[in-house]
Amino acid sequence: MTMTTSKKGQNPVLLWFRKDLRLDDNHALQAAATSGRPVVPIYIREPEVDGNGPLGAAQEWWLHHSLAALQKALGTLNSGLILRQGDPLAVLEKLIAETGAETIVWNRRYDPAGIAVDTQVKKILRDNGIEANSFAGQLLHEPTRLRTGAGGHYKTYTPFWRAFEQSGEPPFPIEAPEKLLAPNHWPKSDTLASWSLLPIRPNWASEFPDTWTPGEAAALEKLKDFIDGALDDYAVGRDFPDTPATSLLSPHLALGEISPARIWHATRGLSGKIPTDDIIRFRKELVWREFCYHQLFHFPKLRTANWNDRYDDFPWLSDARRLKSWQRGQTGYPIVDAGMRQLWRHGWMHNRVRMIAASFLIKDLLIDWREGEAWFRDTLVDADPAANTANWQWVAGSGADASPFFRIFNPVLQGEKFDPDGGYVRTFVPELSKLDSKYIHRPFEAPDDVLRRAGIELGKHYPRPIVDHAVARQRALAAHASLKNDG
DNA sequence: TGCCGGTTAAC
DNA sequence: TTAACCGGC
């Protein structure tokens, strides 16, 4: 049968994948699979919005491999994945014309640019007689679901968490379908290689595969490993960057290779009916993700504007040299440099170290948090439009329920507290690997003979601190005090 | 999900 | 001399 002879009822359903690159717990997929019609799964590489690519470079590396994995997984359902690029509405209209589709389904996304696109697409397609249906599943609950007693949105985490807990269990995940009906005629697809998502020269992602396996299968495996292992010590272990105590699920979540509902419900029943401290702690992190989307939904400018406009007059410094030192992990503070180099090598940084590195940029260097947000967005494989922006504002003090600005991390003390033996530093700052643990977080205070024995000449093998923390702290407090005191 | 400096109390 | 505590930033 050819396209032109296909009868009504055999018109395919377009299944539009976005940041939901999975078969498990996928409601749009479920709707397509149970429609009784052939399904044409598609992925559209969308153009830049707001002068920023939708994805940073590290996440494009991930996307490449994730799409390859999804293509393969769809193959096991006797289906496939059509790749197109361009303005989504134009691409969809073309695909509708090519396939005769009368229905399109997708899972909702919650970043402002995505919402704007989807709202327009849905309206225009519906005006043209196309059935366009969207589904939930990227969050545990829709960002509009929880309301304060006064009917507004939450501005602090603890009441949000309480309301979340009291509002009932998140929906249970659904299983992947076993089969999809293939169309009689597959539309043309771009090749994945033609999108050039992988870095070529220099290949800064060369070590990513040692750390990461993108794709749904690896995500589910990682979840199982975490539940069976590290979750048991999560509440304490999560703060120690040299300990494998975190889930490592963030990049999988960021592109929707695994659903938060799947994760949430996987943590039940480990120790009877009552969740342990470790489980609660972990679930609270999932709910922080929800809280970040809650903020972004109700304050769409979150990436570019201070949530608290009191910070609009903050006297940030422009300092390209120091910004570059921070980006390259050459600040002279080992815990900061280890974190920034882990970010570059693995596309990921341990959460505790993210806070330390972010505090250093904002408070020790007085560089605008937006510079940090942009760098993380480009280099993190788990970059998320809500979490990345909300968390930078959290450190800066400008965000919702943010850390007070006067909470300034001392990078030496933080290193000594959370990386006491310096194992994390030695891994990512190898030039310090032979330094005594006593000085591993303060090489600038090490006696000459200690440095000599470790083969280190400060200023040559490893930088002296680019700022004196005690001085920088005072400068930061003074800068903060210069703001109008209205809250 | 701080740090700092001052005070107090025990030795 | 040091640990514990506290207020201020």
Side-chain angles (χ1 to χ4, degrees):
Chain A
M1 199 193 292
T2 67
M3 257 179 8
T4 48
T5 60
S6 69
K7 293 193 273 294
K8 194 166 170 78
Q10 285 306 305
N11 293 326
V13 175
L14 295 183
L15 169 58
W16 184 16
F17 280 97
R18 297 98 67 81
K19 287 187 180 178
D20 52 352
L21 305 179
R22 64 173 183 273
L23 305 185
D24 177 61
D25 194 27
N26 184 328
H27 288 262
L29 170 61
Q30 169 87 354
T34 56
S35 68
R37 298 174 182 226
V39 178
V40 177
I42 58 175
Y43 181 88
I44 302 170
R45 189 181 185 204
E46 299 176 42
E48 296 194 343
V49 178
D50 285 343
N52 284 290
L55 296 182
Q59 212 161 27
E60 287 205 323
W61 174 90
W62 192 289
L63 176 67
H64 176 100
H65 296 291
S66 192
L67 288 173
L70 183 63
Q71 273 182 322
K72 200 172 152 200
L74 283 164
T76 68
L77 300 186
N78 193 33
S79 187
L81 181 65
I82 300 303
L83 306 178
R84 295 284 176 99
Q85 55 183 329
D87 169 68
L89 179 61
V91 170
L92 292 173
E93 285 178 331
K94 194 148 181 285
L95 276 165
I96 286 165
E98 290 174 25
T99 62
E102 292 176 353
T103 305
I104 176 167
V105 291
W106 67 73
N107 294 306
R108 284 190 280 282
R109 50 186 170 181
Y110 302 98
D111 60 291
I115 290 172
V117 168
D118 294 353
T119 305
Q120 189 209 20
V121 165
K122 190 181 267 186
K123 180 178 187 311
I124 291 178
L125 292 184
R126 282 182 174 172
D127 287 350
N128 291 331
I130 302 294
E131 191 182 339
N133 293 323
S134 62
F135 298 85
Q138 298 307 91
L139 297 173
L140 293 169
H141 293 302
E142 299 292 276
T144 50
R145 180 167 182 268
L146 297 179
R147 295 264 162 194
T148 62
H153 64 272
Y154 285 93
K155 297 173 180 65
T156 47
Y157 180 73
T158 304
F160 182 82
W161 164 254
R162 282 205 207 100
F164 185 96
E165 274 189 305
Q166 286 162 15
S167 68
E169 283 284 299
F172 281 90
I174 57 172
E175 302 298 320
E178 287 175 6
K179 195 171 182 307
L180 289 182
L181 211 52
N184 294 317
H185 175 83
W186 282 99
K188 282 209 178 90
S189 173
D190 293 353
T191 63
L192 189 50
S194 73
W195 285 4
S196 303
L197 295 170
L198 302 177
I200 305 195
R201 205 167 34 221
N203 180 12
W204 40 260
S206 65
E207 288 187 50
F208 284 17
D210 301 341
T211 312
W212 305 111
T213 306
E216 175 174 19
L220 291 169
E221 201 174 315
K222 196 156 266 171
L223 173 63
K224 187 177 185 315
D225 289 349
F226 177 62
I227 301 285
D228 293 343
L231 177 55
D232 201 33
D233 182 41
Y234 181 76
V236 174
R238 66 187 297 274
D239 262 329
F240 294 83
D242 199 34
T243 307
T246 59
S247 74
L248 303 175
L249 284 167
S250 57
H252 298 288
L253 258 179
L255 289 185
E257 295 174 354
I258 192 166
S259 81
R262 175 63 68 195
I263 299 172
W264 177 276
H265 289 287
T267 62
R268 69 169 51 259
L270 294 178
S271 51
K273 290 233 162 71
I274 301 172
T276 62
D277 286 351
D278 295 301
I279 292 171
I280 292 169
R281 198 62 211 260
F282 179 68
R283 287 180 164 186
K284 276 190 164 178
E285 296 304 313
L286 277 179
V287 175
W288 263 104
R289 177 174 177 272
E290 303 275 311
F291 185 53
C292 292
Y293 271 101
H294 189 76
Q295 289 175 49
L296 181 62
F297 188 86
H298 293 287
F299 186 71
K301 293 184 298 182
L302 191 68
R303 199 195 77 217
T304 51
N306 292 305
W307 188 86
N308 180 346
D309 62 13
R310 182 182 174 215
Y311 284 80
D312 289 355
D313 298 323
F314 196 92
W316 301 113
L317 299 181
S318 282
D319 190 331
R321 261 185 64 225
R322 283 178 171 162
L323 175 60
K324 189 157 276 184
S325 297
W326 177 80
Q327 290 170 336
R328 292 180 174 176
Q330 298 285 349
T331 69
Y333 287 94
I335 192 72
V336 174
D337 294 338
M340 298 306 294
R341 295 190 206 180
Q342 179 181 37
L343 173 60
W344 187 253
R345 275 171 58 184
H346 294 174
W348 185 86
M349 195 195 304
H350 188 278
N351 177 257
R352 165 58 53 177
V353 190
R354 291 189 198 197
M355 292 191 288
I356 302 169
S359 175
F360 189 83
L361 182 77
I362 293 167
K363 295 166 187 181
D364 285 62
L365 302 185
L366 287 185
I367 290 176
D368 194 323
W369 61 265
R370 296 166 190 84
E371 293 281 4
E373 190 279 329
W375 182 253
F376 272 32
R377 176 152 39 86
D378 197 40
T379 53
L380 279 170
V381 290
D382 66 19
D384 180 283
N388 195 41
T389 48
N391 285 328
W392 272 95
Q393 294 223 37
W394 184 87
V395 177
S398 62
D401 202 14
S403 169
F405 187 90
F406 57 74
R407 256 190 223 162
I408 298 171
F409 284 84
N410 179 325
V412 174
L413 297 182
Q414 285 284 310
E416 290 175 344
K417 189 167 177 192
F418 296 111
D419 185 35
D421 303 321
Y424 180 75
V425 165
R426 288 176 221 280
T427 300
F428 293 104
V429 189
E431 64 266 38
L432 298 180
S433 63
K434 294 202 182 105
L435 188 58
D436 279 7
S437 291
K438 188 177 174 193
Y439 295 105
I440 190 74
H441 293 292
R442 48 176 104 214
F444 45 89
E445 290 176 10
D448 288 345
D449 63 308
V450 171
L451 288 172
R452 209 175 308 119
R453 271 205 305 281
I456 301 161
E457 190 184 324
L458 282 184
K460 184 177 172 197
H461 304 112
Y462 184 73
R464 293 177 212 283
I466 60 172
V467 291
D468 179 316
H469 174 70
V471 174
R473 178 173 180 273
Q474 289 307 318
R475 183 178 67 165
L477 290 172
H480 185 244
S482 76
L483 295 179
K484 287 189 287 289
N485 190 13
D486 63 355

